């Protein structure tokens, strides 16, 4: 079996458990690291596999999975132990339990906070790896990055892929989908009401096409806008704000188009 391995020295108790378990299943399988590498089809070298069980850092999930399968260990247990080690690593920077449960989510900010917490509890898997596991085009890493940063929201199909990759039990999926539905219903109700009111303002131009395009953009998650607060503005200015949302590009009193500061996220 070669030379005895060095003791595991880490403050991360999750990593300590993961590395100890990897060493245990290799010992039970009576494999050297060279033999272990051969059992992975040499997808990973003996050195990479030895480092994975060193306890110096958290190895990549594919390495842990290959290690476990080659030793005849449980793939589910390998993933669970890896997620726990990653969650412990991120716990210092995150207040787990601060986000609401999906049934209590009422707005986009709360849903994003809940999804971020779930993502880190699941091990904060690299986004490129999540994209690969979800399948081609189902969960783009750019969309996930914007969601985690708080600038966009997942669609229903993306939410299902996200939950699956994070190993959320299927019995809990509907609670998350219901939360997503509540968020989008509230979001669209405000914009639809604003557009409906402004479609009836006399402007001498046909507003129906821009308004329909605006709604399509919103429902495709391609634009981020916030409703005007109205604080410190006159009534006429508030009306101009509403017209901006309806027309997309308002004209000044001379008929010239004004540029509108809109941040696109698509």
């Amino acid at each position: 079996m070669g030379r005895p391995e060095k003791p595991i020295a880490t403050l991360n108790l999750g990593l300590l458990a993961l590395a100890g378990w990897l060493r245990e299943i290799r010992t039970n399988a009576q494999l050297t690291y060279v033999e272990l590498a051969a059992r992975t089809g040499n997808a990973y070298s003996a050195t990479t596999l030895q480092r994975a069980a060193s306890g110096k850092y958290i190895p990549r999930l594919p390495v842990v999975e290959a290690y476990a399968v080659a030793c005849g260990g449980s793939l589910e247990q390998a993933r669970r132990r890896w997620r726990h080690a990653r969650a412990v690593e991120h716990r210092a920077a995150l207040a787990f339990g601060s986000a609401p449960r999906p049934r209590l989510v009422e707005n986009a900010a709360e849903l994003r906070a809940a999804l971020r917490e779930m993502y880190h509890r699941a091990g904060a898997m690299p986004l490129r790896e999540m994209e690969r596991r979800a399948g081609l085009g189902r969960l783009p890493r750019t969309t996930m990055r914007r969601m985690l940063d708080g600038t966009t929201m997942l669609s229903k199909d993306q939410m299902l892929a996200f939950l699956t990759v994070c190993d959320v039990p299927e019995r809990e999926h509907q609670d998350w989908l219901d939360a997503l539905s509540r968020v989008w219903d509230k979001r669209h109700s405000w914009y639809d009401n604003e557009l409906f009111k402004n479609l009836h303002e006399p402007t001498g131009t046909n507003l129906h096409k821009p308004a329909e395009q605006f709604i399509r953009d919103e429902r495709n998650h391609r634009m981020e806008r916030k409703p005007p607060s109205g604080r410190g503005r006159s009534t006429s200015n508030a009306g101009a704000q509403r017209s901006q949302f309806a027309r997309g590009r308002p004209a000044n009193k001379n008929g010239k188009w004004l540029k509108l500061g809109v941040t696109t996220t698509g």
Side-chain angles (χ1 to χ4, degrees):
M1 294 297 292
R3 293 177 298 175
E5 295 186 273
K6 295 180 180 179
I8 302 170
T10 178
L11 297 178
N12 183 333
L13 297 182
L15 176 56
L16 178 65
L18 172 62
W21 179 74
L22 291 175
R23 293 183 178 191
E24 179 184 349
I25 61 176
R26 185 182 71 86
T27 300
N28 293 340
Q30 299 182 347
L31 296 171
T32 66
Y33 281 108
V34 173
E35 294 169 337
L36 187 59
R39 285 203 176 189
T40 69
N42 290 314
Y44 302 102
S45 67
T47 301
T48 298
L49 296 169
Q50 186 172 15
R51 286 174 179 170
S54 67
K56 293 181 179 179
Y57 66 95
I58 300 175
R60 295 189 300 117
L61 180 55
V63 176
V64 174
E65 291 174 331
Y67 192 120
V69 170
C71 292
S74 165
L75 192 58
E76 189 279 331
Q77 190 170 171
R79 291 170 178 166
R80 179 171 55 81
R81 289 178 180 273
W82 179 85
R83 287 197 303 268
H84 179 60
R86 293 273 293 188
V88 171
E89 185 179 69
H90 289 85
R91 188 167 292 164
L94 295 168
F96 283 171
S98 60
R101 300 292 298 168
R103 290 186 179 183
L104 301 178
V105 164
E106 293 296 336
N107 55 55
E110 291 179 350
L111 180 56
R112 290 189 186 108
L115 288 172
R116 280 195 294 268
E117 181 172 299
M118 183 247 288
Y119 167 72
H120 284 95
R121 283 186 182 277
M125 188 184 299
L127 300 185
R128 186 181 297 274
E129 179 66 15
M130 292 188 72
E131 181 181 42
R132 184 187 70 80
R133 287 171 181 261
L136 184 63
R138 292 194 64 205
L139 195 59
R141 60 182 178 276
T142 53
T143 301
M144 285 188 288
R145 172 51 57 201
R146 291 199 300 270
M147 184 275 290
L148 293 171
D149 289 342
T151 58
T152 193
M153 182 51 67
L154 302 178
S155 68
K156 178 181 177 180
D157 290 341
Q158 291 167 346
M159 173 71 86
L160 285 172
F162 188 82
L163 296 173
T164 301
V165 174
C166 289
D167 286 330
V168 175
E170 190 172 348
R171 64 179 179 276
E172 299 178 15
H173 286 191
Q174 191 58 50
D175 288 344
W176 288 99
L177 293 177
D178 290 344
L180 181 67
S181 180
R182 287 195 301 275
V183 167
W184 280 109
D185 285 347
K186 285 190 175 182
R187 181 186 180 88
H188 289 147
S189 65
W190 183 87
Y191 287 113
D192 291 348
N193 288 339
E194 286 296 310
L195 290 169
F196 179 80
K197 287 186 293 184
N198 285 284
L199 282 173
H200 295 82
E201 292 183 1
T203 62
T205 59
N206 182 7
L207 299 181
H208 292 269
K209 185 174 181 179
E212 292 169 358
Q213 182 63 50
F214 185 89
I215 294 174
R216 283 197 298 271
D217 287 341
E218 279 295 322
R219 288 176 178 169
N220 287 332
H221 314 167
R222 295 187 62 83
M223 300 183 68
E224 284 290 325
R225 297 178 185 239
K226 295 182 180 179
S229 64
R231 191 175 297 173
R233 295 190 179 96
S234 65
T235 304
S236 59
N237 192 29
Q241 288 283 332
R242 291 194 298 271
S243 296
Q244 288 180 9
F245 282 97
R247 290 192 290 269
R249 286 199 306 150
N252 64 13
K253 64 181 181 179
N254 295 322
K256 295 182 178 180
W257 291 111
L258 299 178
K259 292 183 178 180
L260 201 64
V262 178
T263 302
T264 60
T265 61

